[in-house]
Amino acid sequence: GTNTIRFRAPGGNWTILMPNADWGSDIILRVIVAPDLIPPTVPTLVSPTNGALFGTNTVALDWTDSTDTGSGVAQYDVEVASDPGFGSIQWTSSPAASAATTGALPDGQHYWRVRARDNAGNVSAYSAVGDFTTDTTGPAAPSLLAPADGLLTATNPVAFSWTDVWDVNGIADYRIEVDDTAAFSAPLEYASVRTTASASVGLLSGTHFWRAYARDNAGNVSAWSAVRSFQLDTTPPTTPSPVSPAAGAVFLTGRVDLDWTDSTDANGVAGYDVQVAPDATFGSAIEWTGTTTASGVNTAPLASGLHYWRVRARDNAGSVSGWSAVRTFTMQDPPTTPAGVLPTDGSATWASA
């Protein structure tokens, strides 16, 4: 019959010895193999994609399998450099598979390429050049702007802000945390990732601590900012009550002393707002307003007529109480001075005022 023998060998003259028991002697074949001068196909880069950014200093590289119809693909030559001309090689490897992971690379932009090598020593052209960036350095910590450290405020929601941070590969976002303890133990009162350096947060009254950090586009995070604290007080002071003058009191035209009870507040009373008006609605025709830190005030001179007055308290956080009950008093002009009239008979009489 007919037998087919297949083999692969480098180019040259080869002798094949095949033992044959049936014939009683070995079969000797002399074969001339033409040399393999055809290189394998050029591989194509698969990953990372051009411009990819990594937060690690080792990167997984992948490319397509090359083919070789002659002696077969033996290995690949991979190069990573700091320049597109590959004048400064940073890492090389010769894997048999179409993938490799680099060694530790410095931060910065890197260029890479790969070629195939067959068993006859033929090499393909290099692939197109790819590039990627490694960045293992976190950005600087942000600085807190508002609220100021130790601030006492009644404004709720609270407006938080901090400095924008720069990073060579850009800032992705910020994380802000707010808690009622400086240890920031779970559960936190508030935590959020923000793309801007600000946040508006509604909180309960009390003492709060806050901090923030930045994260760059490679995933590296900064250190936490310094911790600040502030006190939120949305509870107004107690409402004062008018003391004097008594309701309906009558005074001669001039100034009036107004007095009321002291208000109380956990963070202290800052002062009082007083209004005097000619009507009980305290509309646009307010006659007199006053601000004082004491629980009493002397008004400006007031015109004759019926007057209404009320008072409210302000605490050190800026919260205001409700207005007190409204009281009235009347200002009246003094009587005119009587004028003497001399009758013709010489007796004295007085004209009524």
Side-chain angles (χ1 to χ4, degrees):
T2 299
N3 296 294
T4 300
I5 300 173
R6 297 181 184 275
F7 68 96
R8 174 180 291 170
N13 297 325
W14 293 86
T15 299
I16 301 175
L17 177 63
M18 296 184 298
N20 191 312
D22 294 335
W23 290 4
S25 62
D26 295 336
I27 299 174
I28 299 175
L29 298 178
R30 299 191 183 278
V31 181
I32 299 176
V33 178
D36 177 5
L37 302 178
I38 300 174
T41 58
V42 179
T44 300
L45 305 186
V46 174
S47 65
T49 56
N50 283 343
L53 177 63
F54 296 91
T56 59
N57 59 6
T58 60
V59 177
L61 309 176
D62 189 29
W63 55 92
T64 59
D65 291 326
S66 294
T67 59
D68 187 87
T69 57
S71 57
V73 175
Q75 65 182 47
Y76 298 90
D77 301 327
V78 190
E79 292 182 341
V80 177
S82 60
D83 63 283
F86 290 84
S88 180
I89 302 297
Q90 297 172 307
W91 179 81
T92 62
S93 183
S94 299
S98 57
T101 298
T102 71
L105 299 171
D107 283 1
Q109 188 173 16
H110 310 280
Y111 301 86
W112 72 292
R113 64 185 180 179
V114 62
R115 68 181 180 182
R117 184 184 300 272
D118 67 16
N119 287 293
N122 301 302
V123 293
S124 73
Y126 273 108
S127 66
V129 176
D131 73 280
F132 60 88
T133 298
T134 56
D135 177 7
T136 59
T137 304
S143 296
L144 305 185
L145 296 177
D149 197 26
L151 177 71
L152 173 62
T153 180
T155 303
N156 197 25
V158 179
F160 294 91
S161 64
W162 52 91
T163 56
D164 285 313
V165 175
W166 181 88
D167 185 86
V168 65
N169 289 302
I171 295 298
D173 50 47
Y174 302 90
R175 179 178 174 86
I176 175 177
E177 292 185 349
V178 183
D179 201 23
D180 55 3
T181 70
F184 293 91
S185 53
L188 298 174
E189 289 186 302
Y190 176 81
S192 177
V193 174
R194 316 288 298 181
T195 56
T196 59
S198 62
S200 180
V201 185
L203 298 167
L204 298 176
S205 290
T207 299
H208 306 277
F209 301 85
W210 71 291
R211 62 183 181 179
Y213 71 62
R215 185 171 66 92
D216 68 19
N217 286 310
N220 303 300
V221 298
S222 73
W224 283 106
S225 68
V227 176
R228 278 189 177 180
S229 66
F230 63 94
Q231 188 173 359
L232 177 64
D233 177 8
T234 58
T235 303
T238 58
T239 302
S241 298
V243 173
S244 66
V250 178
F251 301 92
L252 294 179
T253 305
R255 298 174 181 270
V256 175
D257 288 325
L258 306 178
D259 189 31
W260 54 88
T261 58
D262 289 326
S263 293
T264 58
D265 186 89
N267 287 302
V269 174
Y272 299 89
D273 303 323
V274 189
Q275 290 183 337
V276 179
D279 66 275
T281 62
F282 292 84
S284 59
I286 300 294
E287 293 179 291
W288 182 81
T289 60
T291 300
T292 178
T293 57
S295 56
V297 72
N298 182 253
T299 72
L302 299 170
S304 62
L306 181 63
H307 303 275
Y308 300 82
W309 74 284
R310 63 183 181 179
V311 61
R312 70 181 180 183
R314 289 177 291 104
D315 68 15
N316 287 305
S319 295
V320 296
S321 71
W323 287 105
S324 68
V326 176
R327 275 200 181 175
T328 63
F329 59 88
T330 300
M331 303 298 290
Q332 67 179 26
D333 294 326
T336 59
T337 303
V341 178
L342 296 176
T344 57
D345 61 4
S347 61
T349 62
W350 297 97
S352 61

